[in-house]
């Protein structure tokens, strides 16, 4: 079978492509066998793309732990969280439940980023949604915020195209969370909008524009500004940079790190991209089949993984250096041993 594989993930491309075509503004600016494009890029845009690829260094370039972890009281405590979804109430399937999250505990201090990594379906988003009160919780305890803030936890989703109402202009979109919270569209609110637009690097005239008039990266900046409108203590970022191409992704990550330092925000950062996690996380929790199988300092988890699943996850990280390698990580034994189904 011949395959056309469209992606912005160059590490992945290096691992599977025979030939590569690089596109910019509707033009194929470069097209050649994979090794030539990757080792001897001709076009400036290709060179730029290759420079922007986040390199995974197995824990050698993580953020300094002390930067985010002063001995402070946690702003989030999750204790033995269990979320089950009922399945098959009708005919055909037996009655039962999916154990989406199965006894997860962690805490988060102000100014800290905890990354959650793990394969698709392991329960990352369900954990995040429980934190926001978007899921009913089967068991466990969640405490978030200082008590001062009415909306201590805010969320930024993966898809900046789907998460903004296309019929509202930016002013209405930014004001929405505050108005839903009982505030009025007054000078103070307008000032806050102007301030945050500026902080996320968008021009003031953006206020009168609509979501379709922005690029993916700009929309994600809007989503970040919107999440900060109510001065949250905690921001949950669920694959928030995954849809962005590498150079935009790098800028949004820098912005997140700056905002975190400025406002002392705690981030729960969900991602499948270990190179991105390495750049932003102070600590990492590895989830597998609804459980946290490993949690600790980012450098330690990435450089000396203890759990066999973490080891396989790190071994499977795509990189530009790894050519024509197919990612046949054998998960069969592990999955059979810990099936989340009942
Ligand atoms: N509303 C729901 N009803 C039934 N099952 C659900 C529901 N939401 C999630 N699940 C199931 O719970 C499990 C965990 O899903 P979750 O969305 O948390 O995974 P994830 O780790 O975020 O995966 P991904 O990396 O693909 O986003 C999956 O088996 C999923 O099918
Ligand atoms: Mg998810």
């Amino acid at each position: 079978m011949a395959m056309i594989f469209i992606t912005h993930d160059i590490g992945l491309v290096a691992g599977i492509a025979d030939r590569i075509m690089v596109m910019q503004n509707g033009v194929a600016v470069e097209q050649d066998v994979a090794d030539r494009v990757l080792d001897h890029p001709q076009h400036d845009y290709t060179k730029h793309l290759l420079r922007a690829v986040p390199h995974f260094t197995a824990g050698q370039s993580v953020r300094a732990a002390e930067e985010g972890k002063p001995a402070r009281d946690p702003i989030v405590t999750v204790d033995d969280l269990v979320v089950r979804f009922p399945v098959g109430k009708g005919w055909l399937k037996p009655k039962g439940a999916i154990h989406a999250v199965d006894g997860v505990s962690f805490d988060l201090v102000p100014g800290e980023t905890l990354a959650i990594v793990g394969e698709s379906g392991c329960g990352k988003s369900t954990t995040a949604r429980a934190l926001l009160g978007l899921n009913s919780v089967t068991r466990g305890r969640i405490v978030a915020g200082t008590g001062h803030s009415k909306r201590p936890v805010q969320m930024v989703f993966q898809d900046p195209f789907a998460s903004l109402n296309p019929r509202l202009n930016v002013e209405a979109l930014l004001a929405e969370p505050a108005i839903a919270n009982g505030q009025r569209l007054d000078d103070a609110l307008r000032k806050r909008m102007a301030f945050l637009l500026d902080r996320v690097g968008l021009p003031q005239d953006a206020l009168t524009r609509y979501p379709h008039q922005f690029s993916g990266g700009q929309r994600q900046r809007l989503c970040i500004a919107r999440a900060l409108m109510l001065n949250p203590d905690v921001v949950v970022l669920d694959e928030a940079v995954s849809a962005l191409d590498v150079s935009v992704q790098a800028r949004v990550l820098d912005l997140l790190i700056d905002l975190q330092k400025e406002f002392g925000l705690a981030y729960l950062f969900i991602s499948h991209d270990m190179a991105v996690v390495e750049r932003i996380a102070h600590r990492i929790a590895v989830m597998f089949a609804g459980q946290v199988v490993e949690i600790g300092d980012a450098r330690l988890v990435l450089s000396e993984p203890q759990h066999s699943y973490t080891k396989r996850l790190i071994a499977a990280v795509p990189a530009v250096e790894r050519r024509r390698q197919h990612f046949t990580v054998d998960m069969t034994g592990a999955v059979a041993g810990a099936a989340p189904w009942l």
Side-chain angles (χ1 to χ4, degrees):
M1 188 168 65
M3 192 187 279
I4 297 177
F5 192 89
I6 300 171
T7 179
H8 60 257
D9 189 330
I10 313 252
L12 213 51
V13 164
I16 67 169
D18 296 303
R19 287 194 300 133
I20 299 174
M21 177 199 280
V22 182
M23 286 191 73
Q24 183 190 30
N25 300 328
V27 178
V29 294
E30 186 156 356
Q31 187 174 175
D32 209 334
V33 296
D35 284 346
R36 266 205 292 275
V37 174
L38 296 170
D39 294 330
H40 306 288
Q42 297 300 308
H43 195 276
D44 281 348
Y45 179 65
T46 314
K47 292 176 190 167
H48 167 72
L49 269 186
L50 282 165
R51 270 197 306 273
V53 176
H55 283 280
F56 181 66
T57 63
Q60 297 318 298
S61 54
V62 294
R63 294 169 71 187
E66 56 288 355
E67 176 196 303
K69 270 219 88 174
R72 282 206 244 173
D73 290 337
I75 193 78
V76 173
T77 308
V78 174
D79 196 16
D80 196 25
L81 177 68
V82 175
V83 180
R84 291 189 189 135
F85 296 109
V87 282
K89 279 202 192 96
W91 47 296
L92 264 182
K93 277 189 214 146
K95 237 172 124 183
I98 296 173
H99 290 205
V101 178
D102 198 11
V104 162
S105 303
F106 61 85
D107 57 18
L108 199 54
V109 300
E112 177 192 37
T113 304
L114 174 68
I116 302 186
V117 300
E119 69 184 350
S120 187
C122 71
K124 304 181 296 293
S125 295
T126 307
T127 303
R129 292 171 61 83
L131 207 61
L132 277 119
L134 300 173
N135 275 339
S136 62
V137 166
T138 310
R139 195 179 76 209
R141 196 175 62 106
I142 298 174
V143 183
T146 53
H148 304 303
S149 166
K150 281 194 193 144
R151 289 280 179 282
V153 188
Q154 292 290 313
M155 186 150 176
V156 178
F157 295 90
Q158 170 168 8
D159 187 350
F161 296 86
S163 48
L164 295 172
N165 184 338
R167 281 185 294 270
L168 298 182
N169 70 12
V170 170
E171 185 179 68
L173 284 168
L174 287 180
E176 199 180 38
I179 287 169
N181 211 41
Q183 277 173 257
R184 265 185 294 138
L185 185 56
D186 54 12
D187 280 353
L189 196 58
R190 287 211 172 81
K191 240 177 154 171
R192 174 116 190 114
M193 290 194 256
F195 169 71
L196 284 172
L197 270 186
D198 182 58
R199 285 307 293 114
V200 300
L202 289 174
Q204 296 300 323
D205 66 14
L207 282 172
T208 54
R209 286 155 64 188
Y210 288 82
H212 73 269
Q213 295 168 312
F214 295 92
S215 71
Q218 288 171 328
R219 283 183 218 210
Q220 203 56 307
R221 287 163 190 268
L222 271 179
C223 292
I224 292 166
R226 193 167 187 256
L228 298 182
M229 276 300 289
L230 293 179
N231 238 327
D233 302 307
V234 183
V235 182
V236 176
L237 300 133
D238 190 351
E239 300 282 8
V241 299
S242 305
L244 307 175
D245 85 61
V246 283
S247 53
V248 177
Q249 185 182 63
R251 286 203 295 276
V252 173
L253 281 176
D254 286 342
L255 169 68
L256 287 171
I257 290 171
D258 286 348
L259 292 172
Q260 178 169 55
K261 287 182 190 154
E262 187 173 340
F263 301 117
L265 297 167
Y267 289 153
L268 189 68
F269 190 89
I270 297 172
S271 177
H272 66 269
D273 186 330
M274 299 299 272
V276 165
V277 164
E278 182 173 45
R279 272 198 61 188
I280 197 160
H282 297 108
R283 282 192 303 144
I284 298 176
V286 183
M287 279 189 76
F288 185 77
Q291 300 183 332
V292 172
V293 294
E294 182 161 358
I295 182 167
D297 183 66
R299 183 188 305 276
L300 270 180
V301 171
L302 296 177
S303 62
E304 292 170 45
Q306 298 299 308
H307 194 275
S308 61
Y309 176 67
T310 316
K311 289 178 187 167
R312 285 193 300 252
L313 201 62
I314 289 171
V317 175
V320 177
E321 297 75 34
R322 301 161 99 192
R323 305 286 164 82
R324 298 286 311 143
Q325 184 185 334
H326 297 273
F327 303 115
T328 49
V329 183
D330 184 12
M331 296 286 185
T332 37
V335 172
W341 315 95
L342 190 74

